[in-house]
C-alpha cells in the first residue's frame, strides 16, 4: 500500500467545519471505502502557530489502536493543505443528541459517561492529556457507541504541564455568588450559539478546568473535570458555568471561582449519587476523582467496565447507506477540492510539515524470505515520506549566544545554488530563512540569511570543501555578538538526519 494523495478520493458532502478547515465525506476510488477527511489550510496553521498541535493529533491517532479513539487510516499533504483520513462515524456527535433531547435520563447519561471515561483513560494510557473534551468531540459510530476525536489541543503528559488556552488569561477580580436560575431562557438557541463557536479560533471555555485557565501546572485530571461538566449538561440541559450573554470571560471567572459559583439547580431532580459524583468531579484537583475512583462510584453501579461495548446503546443511528449524513448539520462548501490542483510537497517547500505522512496497515502482508533479514520490526503502519525524498542535515551542539540561529535542520533549496553547489535552507523558517551555502573562492561553507548569500556576514562558517554539508568534519567558527568576532566552537557538529536522530531532535 503506497502513499495516498488527494486524487485517490472522490469528494462527497461537507459534514463539519472548524477554524482552520473542513471535514467532508470522501470515497476511495479503488476500494470504494468511505472515510471522513479533515482538510486544514497550512498557511492559517502556520500563522496561528498550530503546526505542533496538528502534529500532536497525528501522533496520537497513529499510535492509538483501540475502539475508543476515532481511527486514522492515512495522512498526507500538498503545498496548500494537510489531510487526515479517518473512519466515518455516521451517528453524529453527543452535542447533536443533547440538542435533540435537551436532557438525558440517568440511564442514558450513565451509558455515555461510562464509555467516555474509558475513552479518556485510553488517551491517558498513550501519555497524552486531551484538554478539549466536549460533546462536539464525542462521536457516535454506526453501532451507537462513542469515539473520541479532535486532539488538536492535546499535550504530551508530564507530571505537571504549563499552558495557555487561546490567550484566555485568569481574571483577577473576585466573583460574587450567583443567583439561582433555571438556566438559559431559550436552551435550543443557546446550544445553537454554542455550536457556532466551533467555527472560530476562540472556542468555548465551558468545559475547561480551572487549572488550565489560571495557567498553572496541571495533570490529566483536567479531562476528568470535563467529564463532570458533560455529565452535568446531560442531566440538567446546559453546562454549569454558562454565561447568559455568551461572554467567555464571564464563564472563565465562574470556572475559576467554582467554589462559590457551582450550584445544583433544585428543579433538576438529580439523584443523590449523581450529585455526589458531580461534586467529586467539578471540584479542586486535589479532591477530584480519577479513573479508578470514577469506576467505583455508586452512580456507575451495575456497569460492566470490562465489556462496555457489549452494552446496548440507548440510541442507534438509523443509517440509510454508507454515505448517509442525516445526523450531521448542513454545511456550505468553502474549500473547493474538486478544482484544487494537488501539488506534491516535500522538504524543499517552505510550508512543508515534516513527519506528517501516515499509512495504516491493518493486514500485514505474508512474510517472505527477505523479511527474515530485516532488522526493523514490522508495524501496522508506515510513516515519514521524508526518508524517501530529499536529505535533511542538522547542525547541533551550539549553546548560549546564537544557539537558536546556528542549531537547526536544513534541506536543499528547491532551485537555488551558489558556487556550483546547492544552497541548503532551514526547514522551520519561511521568510528570509537561514541558509548554508558554499563559497568556492574561500573554500568555506557559510551560514547566513538567504538575503545575505554572497556576503561575509555569517552566523557561522567552516572551512571545508565537502560537496554535501553532512560530510563536513572541520571545526565550526560561530559569531560572538559580544566580542564581535568568530570563535571556534568544537561542540558544533553537523549530521544527516535519520529516522533515529530525527526523533531525538524533536
Amino acid at each position: 500500500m503506497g502513499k495516498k494523495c488527494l486524487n485517490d478520493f472522490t469528494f462527497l458532502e461537507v459534514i463539519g467545519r472548524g477554524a482552520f478547515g473542513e471535514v467532508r465525506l470522501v470515497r476511495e476510488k479503488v476500494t470504494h471505502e468511505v472515510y471522513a477527511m479533515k482538510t486544514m489550510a497550512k498557511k492559517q496553521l502556520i500563522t496561528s502557530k498550530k503546526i505542533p498541535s496538528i502534529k500532536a493529533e497525528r501522533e496520537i491517532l497513529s499510535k492509538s489502536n483501540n475502539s475508543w479513539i476515532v481511527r486514522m487510516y492515512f495522512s498526507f499533504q500538498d503545498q496548500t493543505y494537510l489531510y487526515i483520513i479517518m473512519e466515518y462515524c455516521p451517528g453524529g456527535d453527543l452535542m447533536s443528541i443533547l440538542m435533540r433531547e435537551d436532557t438525558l435520563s440517568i440511564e442514558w447519561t450513565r451509558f455515555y459517561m461510562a464509555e467516555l471515561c474509558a475513552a479518556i483513560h485510553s488517551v491517558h494510557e498513550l501519555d497524552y492529556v486531551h484538554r478539549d473534551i466536549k460533546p462536539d468531540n464525542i462521536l457516535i459510530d454506526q453501532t451507537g457507541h462513542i469515539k473520541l476525536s479532535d486532539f488538536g489541543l492535546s499535550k504530551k503528559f508530564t507530571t505537571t504541564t504549563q499552558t495557555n488556552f487561546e490567550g484566555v488569561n485568569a481574571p483577577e477580580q473576585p466573583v460574587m455568588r450567583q443567583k439561582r436560575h433555571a438556566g438559559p431562557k431559550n436552551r435550543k438557541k443557546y446550544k445553537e450559539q454554542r455550536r457556532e463557536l466551533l467555527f472560530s479560533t476562540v472556542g468555548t471555555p465551558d468545559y475547561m478546568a480551572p487549572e488550565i485557565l489560571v495557567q498553572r501546572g496541571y495533570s490529566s485530571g483536567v479531562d476528568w473535570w470535563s467529564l463532570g461538566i458533560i455529565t452535568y449538561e446531560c442531566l440538567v440541559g446546559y453546562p454549569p458555568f454558562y454565561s447568559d450573554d455568551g461572554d467567555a470571560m464571564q464563564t472563565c471567572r465562574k470556572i475559576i471561582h467554582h467554589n462559590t459559583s457551582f450550584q445544583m439547580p433544585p428543579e433538576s431532580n438529580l439523584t443523590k449519587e449523581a450529585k455526589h459524583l458531580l461534586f467529586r468531579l467539578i471540584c479542586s484537583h486535589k479532591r477530584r476523582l480519577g479513573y479508578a475512583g470514577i469506576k467505583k462510584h455508586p452512580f456507575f453501579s451495575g456497569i460492566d467496565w470490562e465489556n462496555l461495548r457489549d452494552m446496548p446503546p440507548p440510541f442507534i443511528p438509523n443509517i440509510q447507506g454508507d454515505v448517509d449524513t442525516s445526523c450531521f448539520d448542513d454545511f456550505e462548501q468553502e474549500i473547493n477540492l474538486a478544482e484544487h490542483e494537488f501539488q506534491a510537497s516535500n522538504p524543499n517547500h517552505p510550508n512543508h510539515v515534516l513527519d506528517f505522512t501516515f499509512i495504516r496497515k491493518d493486514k500485514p502482508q505474508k512474510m517472505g524470505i527477505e523479511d527474515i533479514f530485516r532488522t526493523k520490526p514490522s508495524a501496522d503502519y508506515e510513516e515519514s515520506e521524508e526518508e524517501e525524498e530529499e536529505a535533511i542535515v542538522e547542525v547541533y551542539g551550539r549553546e548560549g549566544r546564537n544557539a537558536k540561529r546556528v542549531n537547526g535542520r536544513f534541506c536543499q533549496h528547491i532551485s537555488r545554488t551558489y558556487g556550483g553547489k546547492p544552497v541548503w535552507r532551514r526547514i522551520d523558517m519561511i521568510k528570509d530563512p537561514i541558509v548554508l551555502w558554499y563559497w568556492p573562492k574561500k573554500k568555506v561553507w557559510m551560514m547566513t540569511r538567504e538575503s545575505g548569500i554572497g556576503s561575509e556576514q555569517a552566523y557561522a562558517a567552516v572551512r571545508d570543501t565537502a560537496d554535501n554539508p553532512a560530510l563536513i568534519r572541520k571545526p565550526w567558527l560561530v559569531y560572538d555578538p559580544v566580542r564581535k568576532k568568530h570563535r571556534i566552537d568544537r561542540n558544533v557538529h553537523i549530521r544527516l538526519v535519520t529516522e533515529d536522530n530525527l526523533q531525538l531532535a524533536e
Side-chain angles (χ1 to χ4, degrees), residues 32-282:
H32 303 292
E33 291 288 335
V34 173
Y35 300 101
M37 182 174 75
K38 187 174 184 178
T39 306
M40 297 160 285
K42 284 184 175 183
K43 187 174 182 180
Q44 289 179 267
L45 292 170
I46 291 170
T47 302
S48 303
K49 299 181 180 179
K50 292 296 182 183
I51 292 297
S53 300
I54 299 305
K55 292 188 70 174
E57 178 175 31
R58 175 243 183 255
E59 182 178 352
I60 294 171
L61 293 176
S62 66
K63 285 183 176 180
S64 66
N65 190 20
N66 64 64
S67 57
W68 299 116
I69 296 177
V70 65
R71 196 167 181 79
M72 178 177 73
Y73 291 96
F74 316 105
S75 61
F76 54 91
Q77 63 184 301
D78 61 20
Q79 295 183 32
T80 308
Y81 298 108
L82 297 177
Y83 306 93
I84 295 179
I85 307 293
M86 302 169 289
E87 67 174 307
Y88 173 48
C89 295
D93 56 36
L94 184 60
M95 192 64 198
S96 298
I97 294 176
L98 291 174
M99 292 176 72
R100 185 175 67 244
E101 303 291 337
D102 190 28
T103 61
L104 304 185
S105 67
I106 290 289
E107 290 72 23
W108 279 46
T109 302
R110 183 184 292 117
F111 172 90
Y112 288 123
M113 294 306 100
E115 295 209 328
L116 179 57
C117 183
I120 291 172
H121 179 61
S122 73
V123 176
H124 294 172
E125 286 190 313
L126 295 172
D127 295 327
Y128 275 88
V129 187
H130 190 288
R131 302 199 307 168
D132 197 23
I133 303 291
K134 56 188 178 184
D136 316 87
N137 292 337
I138 302 168
L139 302 182
I140 310 298
D141 68 15
Q142 62 183 0
T143 66
H145 294 275
I146 75 162
K147 299 264 188 177
L148 202 52
S149 71
D150 201 342
F151 296 84
L153 287 180
S154 299
K155 199 166 186 68
K156 193 79 171 177
F157 178 79
T158 56
T159 304
T160 55
T161 309
Q162 291 289 118
T163 190
N164 283 339
F165 176 64
E166 301 294 354
V168 176
N169 294 315
E172 296 181 357
Q173 61 267 39
V175 172
M176 302 302 292
R177 180 174 291 278
Q178 305 295 313
K179 295 181 180 180
R180 290 188 179 274
H181 50 72
K185 294 179 181 179
N186 187 328
R187 292 188 189 176
K188 183 177 180 181
K189 183 178 179 181
Y190 163 76
K191 290 175 181 177
E192 289 174 350
Q193 291 173 339
R194 259 272 295 104
R195 210 42 139 170
E196 292 175 2
L197 285 172
L198 289 176
F199 307 153
S200 70
T201 57
V202 177
T204 171
D206 285 283
Y207 307 92
M208 301 213 75
E211 305 98 279
I212 294 180
L213 295 177
V214 298
Q215 304 175 32
R216 296 174 186 164
Y218 62 87
S219 69
S220 58
V222 300
D223 288 342
W224 302 125
W225 167 282
S226 302
L227 178 80
I229 301 297
I230 296 171
T231 304
Y232 183 103
E233 184 170 7
C234 288
L235 295 171
V236 178
Y238 53 89
F241 304 110
Y242 87 97
S243 174
D244 287 305
D245 55 4
D247 185 354
M249 288 306 296
Q250 180 64 15
T251 298
C252 290
R253 295 186 188 101
K254 291 181 180 181
I255 292 172
I256 292 167
H257 299 278
H258 57 88
N259 288 334
T260 57
S261 61
F262 178 48
Q263 301 173 7
M264 297 289 183
E267 71 279 1
S268 62
N269 297 318
L270 296 175
T271 64
K272 179 177 67 175
E273 292 80 10
K275 289 181 180 179
H276 187 269
L277 176 66
L278 292 172
F279 276 122
R280 291 302 306 276
L281 292 173
I282 307 173

Side-chain angles (χ1 to χ4, degrees), residues 454-469:
S455 74
E456 296 186 7
Q457 303 300 316
Y459 296 123
V462 56
R463 191 176 295 279
D464 197 306
T465 60
D467 290 332
N468 187 311

Side-chain angles (χ1 to χ4, degrees), residues 430-449:
I430 298 174
K431 201 170 183 180
D432 197 17
I434 292 174
V435 294
L436 290 172
W437 52 277
Y438 182 68
W439 197 345
K441 183 178 178 180
K442 296 191 176 184
K443 299 182 179 179
V444 171
W445 278 92
M446 302 282 283
M447 182 186 291
T448 69
R449 291 287 179 178

Side-chain angles (χ1 to χ4, degrees), residues 413-484:
H413 196 286
I414 191 168
S415 60
R416 193 158 187 180
T417 62
Y418 190 87
K421 294 180 181 178
V423 172
W424 292 66
R425 55 172 289 276
R426 275 278 288 268
I427 62 177
D428 58 342
M429 295 181 176
I430 298 174
K431 201 170 183 180
D432 197 17
I434 292 174
V435 294
L436 290 172
W437 52 277
Y438 182 68
W439 197 345
K441 183 178 178 180
K442 296 191 176 184
K443 299 182 179 179
V444 171
W445 278 92
M446 302 282 283
M447 182 186 291
T448 69
R449 291 287 179 178
E450 186 172 11
S451 59
I453 291 177
S455 74
E456 296 186 7
Q457 303 300 316
Y459 296 123
V462 56
R463 191 176 295 279
D464 197 306
T465 60
D467 290 332
N468 187 311
L471 303 177
I472 293 173
R473 295 295 178 263
K474 300 292 179 63
W476 286 76
L477 290 165
V478 179
Y479 184 71
D480 186 333
V482 174
R483 300 192 180 189
K484 296 184 178 179

